[in-house]
Amino acid sequence: MANLLHLNLRSVFIPSLSTRRHSSAAPRRHQFRVEAKVREIFMPALSSTMTEGKVVSWLKSEGDQVAKGESVVVVESDKADMEVESFHDGIMAAILVLEGDSAAVGSTIALLAESESDIALAKAQASGSGSSGSDQKTEAVTAPVAELEPVSAPLLVAAVAASVSSPVVKVASTHPASEGGKRVVATPFAKKLAKEFNVDLGRVVGSGPMGRIVAKDVELAASSAAVSEKPKVAAVAAASTVQLGSVVPFTTMQGAVSKNMLVSLSVPTFRVGYTMTTDALDALYKKIKSKGVTMTALLAKATAMALTQHPVVNSSCRDGKSFTYNSSINIAVAVAMDGGLITPVLQDADKLDIYTLSRKWKELVDKARAKQLQPQEYTTGTFTLSNLGMFGVDRFDAILPPGTGAIMAVGSSRPTVVGTKDGRIGMKNQMQVNVTADHRVIYGADLAAFLQTFAQIIEDPKDLTF
């Protein structure tokens, strides 16, 4: 669901002189309404945990026309960068919060004038923004109206991720968003790709709404320019220059993670481990890897299949008084990012085939690392996977995310000497998983039964490809 951002239309009502001369009992026929046609753009709440946001970039400059449906600003929430799209026409009159600066949710970050004649009014209001907006006295002549009550005129703005597809609009060689080459308008993801591909956005023709440059435009330009090297996401653990002994404030994402971890400590949890053989799973992965299937998708699919038989492990307790058997199986998977952690969600993982699930996972990871996930793409998980096996970690415990019932920590698959049922010694690939669960809802027997089912699917994975 798109988050809504409200912009106020400030109106001051002044009665006419003729109205003032009459007694209160006399009919008031010609009351004038004086409106200051300046709208305040507020910092939106893009998630339930967001208390402040940072302006990543303004897509409109002061004096620019703003069309209905056009994005005006990119805001960084605690998990993603999101565009704020206007539902109304106007002129960007004053920007109060500069790029890189933060503001509390609900505070004014810019002023939108309805017409050019209202720009000076907005400028005056911006210069006095230190005082309460309700104290601003403005005047403008309007037609007489018969109504006596103030007319509310809220302006809605929807926050939408830059990566959401829009109807393609074919444009000429000079796209309107570039304003004759003075400024290039592109989605944050497109800018990121342009930097990685070393593509000059000034030479790219946008195919998005109002000529905005989108990711596929950059990819096309990179291809035509024979850029052969694909962009690579830097590893989170890559060496970087740091000043030893320095105190570094949390980023927005780190602050959100910190708050969630403190909430998690209030939940009584317990842990259960299980070791399983992965020879059959490894063989299946090797067989279908070339088709785009990832190990993460295989694990998510196996988890979802097991959860269909153990719904209590997919349940959640939020108020400490009741719990919910979730109607969907949404597998959240932890992804490390530079400066934080996010859990993109594979929704309805039990209903998707492994190939669709793998494609969906790749899309989610790309969007997560570009900070373009929609809130519903990282807040709707019902069960969480954390896989450090890819880094060679053989076992670990994971912290339960707030609002979910369980999280499974997956270790690496390693050759292990084991005893067979006939008393012989053999070599098998085995991995260990540890599940952390909310003990208010899920008990030891529940987890044991779930892990037995999960192990059966891993050790005989033929159903994963159906």
Side-chain angles (χ1 to χ4, degrees):
M1 181 184 297
N3 296 282
L4 296 182
L5 173 65
H6 292 272
L7 292 80
N8 277 354
L9 175 63
R10 294 206 175 277
S11 301
V12 179
F13 296 85
I14 302 178
S16 64
L17 294 177
S18 60
T19 304
R20 292 174 180 171
R21 291 173 185 155
H22 291 288
S23 65
S24 60
R28 294 176 288 177
R29 298 180 179 178
H30 300 289
Q31 183 160 340
F32 288 86
R33 182 178 66 187
V34 180
E35 292 185 353
K37 300 180 181 178
V38 177
R39 297 178 172 91
E40 294 178 312
I41 302 179
F42 297 120
M43 176 63 70
L46 302 178
S47 71
S48 59
T49 59
M50 180 175 169
T51 57
E52 70 172 14
K54 183 171 78 173
V55 174
V56 176
S57 63
W58 284 99
L59 304 180
K60 289 293 182 179
S61 301
E62 292 185 358
D64 287 355
Q65 289 282 345
V66 177
K68 180 179 179 180
E70 207 172 4
S71 296
V72 294
V73 63
V74 179
V75 173
E76 178 187 68
S77 70
D78 50 6
K79 293 292 185 180
D81 294 350
M82 303 185 72
E83 289 188 8
V84 176
E85 185 178 276
S86 175
F87 283 359
H88 289 255
D89 299 328
I91 300 173
M92 183 63 70
I95 293 176
L96 305 182
V97 179
L98 301 179
E99 294 181 358
D101 291 345
S102 299
V105 169
S107 61
T108 305
I109 60 175
L111 298 175
L112 189 70
E114 190 171 281
S115 63
E116 290 186 2
S117 60
D118 299 314
I119 294 179
L121 182 65
K123 294 284 188 183
Q125 183 172 328
S127 63
S129 59
S131 60
S132 172
S134 60
D135 296 334
Q136 301 293 327
K137 302 298 181 181
T138 55
E139 293 186 6
V141 178
T142 62
V145 294
E147 296 193 6
L148 302 179
E149 296 296 325
V151 179
S152 174
L155 177 66
L156 300 180
V157 171
V160 295
S163 57
V164 176
S165 61
S166 303
V168 175
V169 180
K170 298 297 181 181
V171 296
S173 58
T174 302
H175 48 82
S178 70
E179 298 184 355
K182 293 187 295 181
R183 182 170 59 86
V184 175
V185 178
T187 65
F189 190 32
K191 292 179 181 178
K192 174 181 173 64
L193 287 180
K195 184 176 180 180
E196 294 172 342
F197 279 120
N198 195 26
V199 171
D200 182 5
L201 288 177
R203 299 178 179 274
V204 178
V205 177
S207 62
M210 300 298 295
R212 186 183 304 120
I213 298 172
V214 295
K216 67 178 182 180
D217 300 324
V218 177
E219 293 170 348
L220 180 62
S223 176
S224 62
V227 178
S228 59
E229 185 176 354
K230 295 182 180 180
K232 298 180 181 180
V233 180
V236 175
S240 59
T241 302
V242 297
Q243 184 177 353
L244 299 180
S246 61
V247 178
V248 181
F250 279 164
T251 63
T252 306
M253 179 176 289
Q254 288 172 326
V257 171
S258 176
K259 291 178 182 177
N260 284 339
M261 294 303 95
L262 291 175
V263 173
S264 295
L265 289 177
S266 65
V267 178
T269 59
F270 72 107
R271 296 164 180 83
V272 174
Y274 203 101
T275 301
M276 57 200 71
T277 300
T278 62
D279 289 334
L281 180 68
D282 294 337
L284 175 63
Y285 176 56
K286 185 177 180 180
K287 180 180 178 180
I288 62 179
K289 180 180 179 180
S290 61
K291 299 180 181 180
V293 175
T294 64
M295 181 58 74
T296 297
L298 285 169
L299 293 172
K301 181 65 175 178
T303 302
M305 291 173 61
L307 288 174
T308 60
Q309 301 180 45
H310 306 277
V312 70
V313 183
N314 191 54
S315 65
S316 57
C317 174
R318 297 180 182 274
D319 58 4
K321 300 178 181 179
S322 62
F323 68 97
T324 302
Y325 283 108
N326 293 301
S327 57
S328 299
I329 296 178
N330 300 334
I331 306 298
V333 184
V335 174
M337 297 176 60
D338 187 12
L341 178 76
I342 196 168
T343 52
V345 177
L346 289 165
Q347 298 183 1
D348 296 318
D350 58 315
K351 300 176 182 177
L352 300 178
D353 64 79
I354 192 62
Y355 304 102
T356 302
L357 204 63
S358 295
R359 289 193 298 270
K360 182 63 176 176
W361 176 241
K362 184 180 183 303
E363 293 172 4
L364 288 171
V365 171
D366 289 343
K367 291 173 70 174
R369 288 177 173 156
K371 301 187 71 176
Q372 294 300 313
L373 286 175
Q374 288 277 337
Q376 66 269 21
E377 292 176 319
Y378 62 83
T379 62
T380 56
T382 59
F383 186 98
T384 307
L385 281 179
S386 181
N387 181 12
L388 291 182
M390 65 184 72
F391 299 109
V393 176
D394 57 357
R395 62 184 180 278
F396 69 103
D397 290 327
I399 298 176
L400 181 68
T404 60
I407 178 172
M408 183 159 63
V410 181
S412 62
S413 176
R414 297 189 174 193
T416 307
V417 177
V418 298
T420 61
K421 293 182 179 179
D422 57 2
R424 298 182 180 182
I425 296 177
M427 184 75 71
K428 293 185 177 181
N429 289 327
Q430 292 190 328
M431 75 174 182
Q432 181 174 323
V433 300
N434 293 331
V435 181
T436 302
D438 184 344
H439 212 331
R440 298 173 300 177
V441 181
I442 303 169
Y443 305 131
D446 299 323
L447 275 192
F450 163 75
L451 286 171
Q452 285 178 337
T453 302
F454 178 74
Q456 290 170 3
I457 296 172
I458 293 296
E459 294 176 353
D460 184 15
K462 61 181 183 296
D463 292 337
L464 290 179
T465 55
F466 291 100

